[in-house]
Amino acid sequence: MKKIDNWLKNNTYHHSDFSDIKKMVEEKEKRNLTISLCIPTLNEAKTIGKEVVIFKSELMNRYPLVDERVVIDSGSHDETIKIAANFGADTYLASEILPNLEDRRGKGENLWKAIYQLKGDIIVYVDADIKNIHPRFVYGLVGPLIYRNEVQYVKAFYDRPLASSTGIRPSGGGRVTEILTRPLFSIFFPELSAIIQPLSGEYAVRRDIFEAISFPIGYGVETSHLIDVYMKLGLDAFAQTDLDQRVHRNQETRSLGKMSFGILQTFFNRLEHYGMTTQMPEFHKILRQFQARDNEFELIESEIVEFERPPMISIPEYIKK
Amino acid sequence: MKQFVNEFISHFLKDKEGYNEIRETLLSNLILLNEIPAPTFKEFERATALVKRYAGYEILNGSVDEMGNALGIIPGKNSENNILVVAHLDTHYDSTVDHNVSVNTDHIIGPGVGDNGLGLAAMATLPYLLKHFNLELDSNLILMGSARSLGMGDIEGIRFFLNNFKGNISSGICLEGVKLGRLSYSSIGMLRGELVYQIPEEYDWTKFSSEGALVNMNEMISKILEIPLPRKPKTSIVLGSIRGGTSYNTIPTKVALRFEIRSESNEVVDKLTQEIDNLAMEMSSLTGANVEFKKHARRKPGGTLFSHPLNRVARDIHSMMNIKTRLSPSTSELSAFIAKGIPAITIGLTHGENLGEENEQIDLSLLDKGMAQLLGLLISLDRGFEDEED
C-alpha cells in the first residue's frame, strides 16, 4: 500500500532526530505549548526513583521541556509513592482524582484521570517499569508534536534486545502484538498495521484529542486509542519514534493471556461501536509485520488466504466411492 | 580564606531547597554515566557520554584524548594555574553485566555506583555547581575522567596526561565514591603481579607432585604466606583473586593468582618481589610446569607530609562537618601526581556497602556533606593556602 509506505517514510522518527533539546524548547515556547508528563504506577518501587530523578534533572532543570511531572498510582503496596515524592514528583492516588466517580482500578483509569489532573497541552505517558530510563523516552515522543501541527499522537517503538546471527532479526512488538493485535489490525484496520508497536506504553498526545475519546480502563486502552484516533483523523494524525532499547520485566504467559482477553473485548466493542459487526467489512488478506535489518525497520507483507474446502460428504467423487 | 570556606559550606548545607536541585543533577549524572559499561580498556562510550554531559556549560576542549581520557577545561580568571580534578572512568565489571541502577529514598544500588560512578558523577556535576553558586575560579579547572586506571590499566590514562600536558598543574583532587572522610595524601610502594601456573600439554602425570595446577598453586600460596613481613615499614601482601579449573572432576591445567605487594618501603617491595620470583622458579623446577610471574603495575612510595597545607585544609573541612578523617595511603591516580611532585589528595564522597559486588550500594543521606567538602576544597586550592600556614 503506497499510503502506508509514504506514512512510514514521513512519520517514522528516531529519537536522535530530536536530541537538540535546547532547540526543541525554543520551538515549544514559540508555539506557546505546555507539556505534562504522566507516569502511571502500581508497585514500581524498583524503577520509579530513577525515572522521576532523570526527568526532573534533564527535562525540567537542565532544559525546561516538561512543565509538570506527575505520578498517578493505582494503590501500590510498596514504596512507589514514597520514593517518587521523595524526589519531588507530584503524586496522586487515582482514587483521589474525581473522587465522586465510582472507583475503578486499571492503568487506563490512571491515564484517563491524568487528563483531568494535568494541565499541559501535550500529555506524555511513560510506563514506570523501564530499567534503562533516559530522557529520550520523553523528548523522542514530544518532538513530532512540537514541530508538526498535523501530528496528534506519537507512539514509541523499540528494538528488542534479541540476539541474531544473520543481521536480520524479528522486530516489532511483543508476543501479544504479533500474535493478536497485528493480525486483527491487518484484517480490520490495515493502515494501523503500520504502527510498529501498537501496545507500547509510551506515547505523547495532544489534549484536544484525548479529552474527546473514551478510555477502557484495562488492557485494551492502547488498542482503543489507536482505533478511535484513526477513525476520527486517519493515519496522518499519527507518528512513531524509535526509542532504541527498552529493558523491562518480562511477563508470564498467563499474564499475556489476560492482556489478550482484555484487548479482544475492547476490539470487539470498537467493531460494534463503528457498526462493523452488523455489516462485516471485506476481510483484508495481507498481514503486515516488521523485521529489523541493522538499524532499519523493513515492512514485510504476506498474503495469507485461508481457502476453505467443503465437507467431504458433499464431494460427488466421495459419494460415489 | 578558612572563614570564607566555612561560611560557604554552612550555606551549602543549610539551603535544603537548593540542594534538592544539586542532588537531582548529581544523581542524574550518576545514573546516565554509571549505566554505560566501562571495563578497563573499553571506556570510550562512557568517556564520550561524559564529554556530552558538559554541553551547555562554558567548557573548553571537551574531548576524548588518544588514551581514552575524557577532558574538559573550565577557564579561570588567571589562566596560568591549573587544578586537575580526576575520577577514574573504568570499572571492574564486564560489559555483559546488567549495569542498570535502582534509586531508593536513601540509597542507590548497582554495579560500580561507589567505585567509581559517584566519583565520576561528582566531577561531571562541578560545572553545574560553579554556575549554581556563581563561583568563578582564578585557576583553570581541568576535569578528567581517567581511562585505564584499574588493574592492568595501571593508571595509564592519568600518567599519559601528566606526561603530555604542557601547562602547570598546581594541585590535584582524586575523587572516589566511597568513603566520606577518606583522605589519602601519600602513595605506598606497590607491585601488582600475577602468577600463572600452567601444566604443559605433554605433561607426565606420573611425575612427583602432579596433582594439578590448583593444588600446586595452593602450595605456592602457602609459601607466599610464610614469607616474613616486617611490621615497620608497614608491609602486606594482598592475595586478590584466583582463577582456574572448569568442573568438579577435571584436573585443572592452568591457574592464575593475582596479588599486590604493598609497603611503605620501596626496597621491601623489591625484596618481596624477588622472593616470589624465586618461589615461582622453585615450583617450576619441582613440578615441571610453567610458572610465569607477570608484573602488571609498580608504584614507588611518596607523597606530601601530614602537615602539608592541602592535607590540613582537608582535615579542617572534615572537622567542621563532624566527619571523621580516615587516613589511608593510595595506589591509584594519586600515585601519578606524587610521581610528578604535584600536591594532591584523594577524597571519598559518601558511605557504601557491598563494594565490588553487583549490588554495590551508596548512601544518599551523606552526599550533601560529600559535595560541600569537594567545593570547599576546590575553593581552598584555588585561592591558595597563605593564611593556612600560620
Side-chain angles (χ1 to χ4, degrees):
Chain A
M1 276 172 109
K2 202 172 172 199
K3 177 151 191 197
I4 288 183
D5 289 341
N6 282 340
W7 183 86
L8 281 169
K9 198 173 147 197
N10 298 323
N11 288 34
T12 300
Y13 294 94
H14 187 264
H15 65 82
S16 58
D17 297 332
F18 308 106
S19 57
D20 189 345
I21 310 175
K22 195 172 167 220
K23 186 178 154 204
M24 197 151 56
V25 170
E26 286 165 8
E27 190 65 24
K28 172 203 151 192
E29 283 167 359
K30 204 163 81 185
R31 294 180 187 234
N32 204 22
L33 288 169
T34 51
I35 298 175
S36 298
L37 167 65
C38 172
I39 307 174
T41 55
L42 178 63
N43 298 326
E44 307 290 1
K46 274 193 171 176
T47 42
I48 189 66
K50 202 158 76 168
E51 285 204 17
V52 296
V53 165
I54 289 275
F55 291 143
K56 174 77 188 320
S57 165
E58 300 299 304
L59 301 177
M60 296 177 84
N61 299 346
R62 193 175 168 110
Y63 300 106
L65 181 69
V66 171
D67 298 282
E68 65 175 336
R69 161 196 64 150
V70 173
V71 170
I72 301 184
D73 188 71
S74 298
S76 294
H77 299 301
D78 63 9
E79 293 200 318
T80 301
I81 288 287
K82 187 180 164 193
I83 295 170
N86 180 59
F87 292 107
D90 295 329
T91 57
Y92 299 92
L93 272 175
S95 56
E96 293 169 350
I97 304 170
L98 294 169
N100 295 330
L101 300 182
E102 191 182 351
D103 189 25
R104 300 279 186 195
R105 292 286 170 95
K107 181 184 159 192
E109 178 80 351
N110 301 18
L111 306 182
W112 182 67
K113 287 188 168 175
I115 302 168
Y116 178 84
Q117 190 64 43
L118 277 60
K119 303 174 194 80
D121 305 310
I122 291 170
I123 301 175
V124 195
Y125 295 99
V126 178
D127 276 354
D129 65 340
I130 304 171
K131 285 175 80 180
N132 61 330
I133 199 68
H134 186 275
R136 69 175 186 270
F137 284 83
V138 171
Y139 68 70
L141 293 173
V142 299
L145 294 166
I146 288 175
Y147 289 113
R148 291 179 58 187
N149 288 333
E150 70 277 21
V151 173
Q152 308 293 324
Y153 187 117
V154 185
K155 194 84 174 167
F157 68 99
Y158 305 94
D159 192 359
R160 296 191 157 235
L162 295 172
S164 167
S165 58
T166 60
I168 301 170
R169 53 201 187 277
S171 194
R175 285 166 285 177
V176 177
T177 294
E178 296 305 316
I179 292 168
L180 180 72
T181 313
R182 182 171 299 291
L184 281 174
F185 279 170
S186 292
I187 291 174
F188 291 99
F189 304 99
E191 288 186 353
L192 280 180
S193 61
I195 293 175
I196 295 174
Q197 281 174 25
L199 299 183
S200 77
E202 287 71 47
Y203 39 95
V205 200
R206 293 192 200 277
R207 172 180 290 278
D208 311 357
I209 300 304
F210 258 21
E211 66 188 10
I213 59 177
S214 57
F215 276 52
I217 61 154
Y219 296 110
V221 64
E222 279 90 13
T223 308
S224 118
H225 287 163
L226 295 181
I227 295 172
D228 287 346
V229 176
Y230 174 73
M231 293 302 274
K232 271 175 183 278
L233 301 166
L235 189 61
D236 290 338
F238 292 94
Q240 59 186 350
T241 304
D242 182 352
L243 299 182
D244 286 347
Q245 286 193 357
R246 181 193 197 278
V247 181
H248 61 112
R249 290 190 306 272
N250 225 348
Q251 302 224 46
E252 290 175 8
T253 307
R254 201 170 138 204
S255 303
L256 299 182
K258 287 183 189 172
M259 186 190 289
S260 302
F261 190 68
I263 289 171
L264 272 174
Q265 282 187 44
T266 301
F267 197 87
F268 288 123
N269 283 341
R270 282 296 174 273
L271 289 186
E272 193 174 13
H273 177 77
Y274 292 111
M276 294 169 78
T277 45
T278 48
Q279 260 191 317
M280 273 288 193
E282 186 191 344
F283 290 173
H284 295 267
K285 305 289 190 300
I286 305 290
L287 174 68
R288 289 183 183 79
Q289 297 164 304
F290 289 88
Q291 70 179 18
R293 184 192 293 273
D294 300 328
N295 294 323
E296 298 288 323
F297 280 81
E298 293 176 347
L299 178 63
I300 307 294
E301 295 188 342
S302 316
E303 186 175 16
I304 299 172
V305 181
E306 285 294 314
F307 182 80
E308 201 165 313
R309 292 286 192 191
M312 187 56 83
I313 202 162
S314 66
I315 304 295
E317 287 89 337
Y318 180 75
I319 297 167
K320 279 185 199 162
K321 191 179 169 189
Chain B
M1 170 53 55
K2 191 171 176 180
Q3 193 184 347
F4 176 80
V5 171
N6 286 358
E7 283 171 5
F8 176 83
I9 289 175
S10 295
H11 167 71
F12 185 111
L13 296 176
K14 275 181 195 159
D15 181 12
K16 297 294 177 195
E17 203 167 307
Y19 175 66
N20 279 343
E21 193 172 313
I22 294 171
R23 184 179 65 164
E24 284 156 6
T25 306
L26 177 65
L27 296 187
S28 191
N29 281 328
L30 170 57
I31 296 161
L32 293 171
L33 293 170
N34 200 79
E35 294 195 344
I36 302 169
T40 307
F41 300 111
K42 293 179 183 171
E43 304 97 339
F44 185 74
E45 197 184 341
R46 187 179 281 194
T48 310
L50 175 58
V51 170
K52 281 186 188 165
R53 299 302 296 159
Y54 297 148
Y57 298 101
E58 287 168 17
I59 302 263
L60 298 177
N61 307 94
S63 60
V64 179
D65 71 14
E66 59 193 273
M67 196 54 69
N69 298 310
L71 293 156
I73 301 175
I74 302 175
K77 286 183 280 189
N78 168 10
S79 61
E80 283 184 15
N81 273 339
N82 297 284
I83 298 171
L84 176 58
V85 175
V86 58
H88 68 83
L89 285 163
D90 50 346
T91 71
H92 296 288
Y93 302 96
D94 191 72
S95 304
T96 52
V97 171
D98 181 353
H99 277 65
N100 289 305
V101 305
S102 182
V103 178
N104 214 314
T105 46
D106 53 6
H107 61 267
I108 291 189
I109 303 174
V113 289
D115 184 14
N116 191 24
L118 179 58
L120 204 56
M123 191 193 68
T125 306
L126 279 175
Y128 162 81
L129 285 171
L130 295 180
K131 202 171 168 184
H132 180 87
F133 290 108
N134 208 17
L135 285 171
E136 197 178 352
L137 301 182
D138 280 335
S139 311
N140 298 321
L141 179 62
I142 305 176
L143 306 176
M144 176 180 183
S146 62
R148 304 186 188 187
S149 170
L150 303 169
M152 284 193 243
D154 193 17
I155 56 171
E156 208 174 351
I158 189 166
R159 287 195 287 119
F160 171 84
F161 179 79
L162 293 178
N163 284 337
N164 292 283
F165 183 66
K166 305 292 181 228
N168 166 49
I169 306 248
S170 55
S171 51
I173 302 175
C174 309
L175 296 176
E176 291 283 349
V178 177
K179 178 172 192 172
L180 182 63
R182 173 181 176 174
L183 176 59
S184 305
Y185 56 85
S186 63
S187 168
I188 52 170
M190 181 274 278
L191 177 117
R192 187 173 291 156
E194 185 175 19
L195 281 170
V196 182
Y197 185 102
Q198 185 154 24
I199 296 172
E201 290 287 325
E202 67 282 7
Y203 188 71
D204 176 8
W205 288 96
T206 60
K207 197 173 173 183
F208 176 67
S209 282
S210 58
E211 298 95 335
L214 203 51
V215 174
N216 289 334
M217 180 59 87
N218 180 51
E219 200 175 320
M220 202 139 58
I221 289 171
S222 299
K223 288 188 174 174
I224 291 171
L225 294 176
E226 283 168 11
I227 298 173
L229 302 178
R231 290 184 68 184
K232 279 191 177 179
K234 282 184 188 167
T235 301
S236 65
I237 299 176
V238 179
L239 304 181
S241 87
I242 186 161
R243 289 181 191 191
T246 53
S247 70
Y248 292 92
N249 58 0
T250 308
I251 295 176
T253 56
K254 185 178 178 182
V255 172
L257 171 74
R258 291 180 173 179
F259 62 94
E260 266 188 20
I261 302 168
R262 299 167 158 227
S263 177
E264 290 171 346
S265 157
N266 200 39
E267 290 70 32
V268 172
V269 176
D270 282 342
K271 185 169 165 279
L272 291 173
T273 305
Q274 188 55 53
E275 286 197 39
I276 292 179
D277 223 354
N278 293 342
L279 274 179
M281 283 191 280
E282 185 187 323
M283 185 58 79
S284 186
S285 86
L286 187 68
T287 63
N290 301 322
V291 185
E292 191 182 358
F293 184 3
K294 297 179 182 175
K295 299 171 184 80
H296 295 309
R298 181 76 168 88
R299 308 267 187 280
K300 287 184 179 170
T304 52
L305 295 172
F306 179 80
S307 57
H308 188 279
L310 172 56
N311 307 331
R312 213 163 67 197
V313 165
R315 291 197 302 273
D316 285 348
I317 288 172
H318 285 167
S319 164
M320 188 217 157
M321 289 192 284
N322 295 320
I323 298 167
K324 187 182 173 192
T325 302
R326 293 171 172 83
L327 300 175
S328 64
S330 167
T331 57
S332 58
E333 269 70 13
L334 184 66
S335 314
F337 282 102
I338 290 168
K340 290 282 177 191
I342 301 169
I345 53 173
T346 300
I347 57 168
L349 296 159
T350 188
H351 293 180
E353 289 176 29
N354 308 327
L355 299 177
E357 304 292 328
E358 288 181 24
N359 62 343
E360 194 166 302
Q361 179 173 319
I362 53 170
D363 184 347
L364 298 185
S365 66
L366 294 168
L367 279 181
D368 54 346
K369 287 188 174 178
M371 295 306 286
Q373 162 203 226
L374 171 58
L375 276 180
L377 270 170
L378 200 55
I379 295 166
S380 303
L381 284 183
D382 182 54
R383 306 201 175 176
F385 304 108
E386 299 84 7
D387 54 352
E388 307 295 339
E389 300 284 4
D390 44 336

